[in-house]
Amino acid sequence: MPQLFALAALAVGGYVLAKAVRREMNRVEARVSKSAADKAKRERVATLERDPDTGRYRPREG
């Protein structure tokens, strides 16, 4: 019977730990996403144009 209590305690502890880890991961992901969105708003994105000679895309000059 004591083994059953220990197993139940481990299961509950694992559940609580998994829930805390998931909550922390969501918090970090939200912070990183917000930071990336803020950075994207601040930085200017270069327009690409195709170079007819090489066929590669390069940032537009000017």
Side-chain angles (χ1 to χ4, degrees), residues 23-33:
R23 186 180 326 120
E24 181 67 13
M25 287 173 54
N26 287 338
R27 185 189 68 79
V28 169
E29 193 274 332
R31 186 174 177 185
V32 168
S33 294

Side-chain angles (χ1 to χ4, degrees), residues 4-61:
L4 183 61
F5 292 132
L7 184 62
L10 284 174
V12 170
Y15 175 76
V16 170
L17 180 64
K19 195 171 180 179
V21 168
R22 188 174 339 133
R23 186 180 326 120
E24 181 67 13
M25 287 173 54
N26 287 338
R27 185 189 68 79
V28 169
E29 193 274 332
R31 186 174 177 185
V32 168
S33 294
K34 182 182 181 306
S35 177
D38 291 345
K39 183 178 179 183
K41 286 179 184 177
R42 288 191 311 264
E43 291 184 0
R44 184 172 159 241
V45 179
T47 303
L48 298 178
E49 61 182 18
R50 189 166 186 255
D51 184 2
D53 297 332
T54 63
R56 292 186 178 198
Y57 287 88
R58 301 189 189 277
R60 182 182 298 170
E61 296 177 7

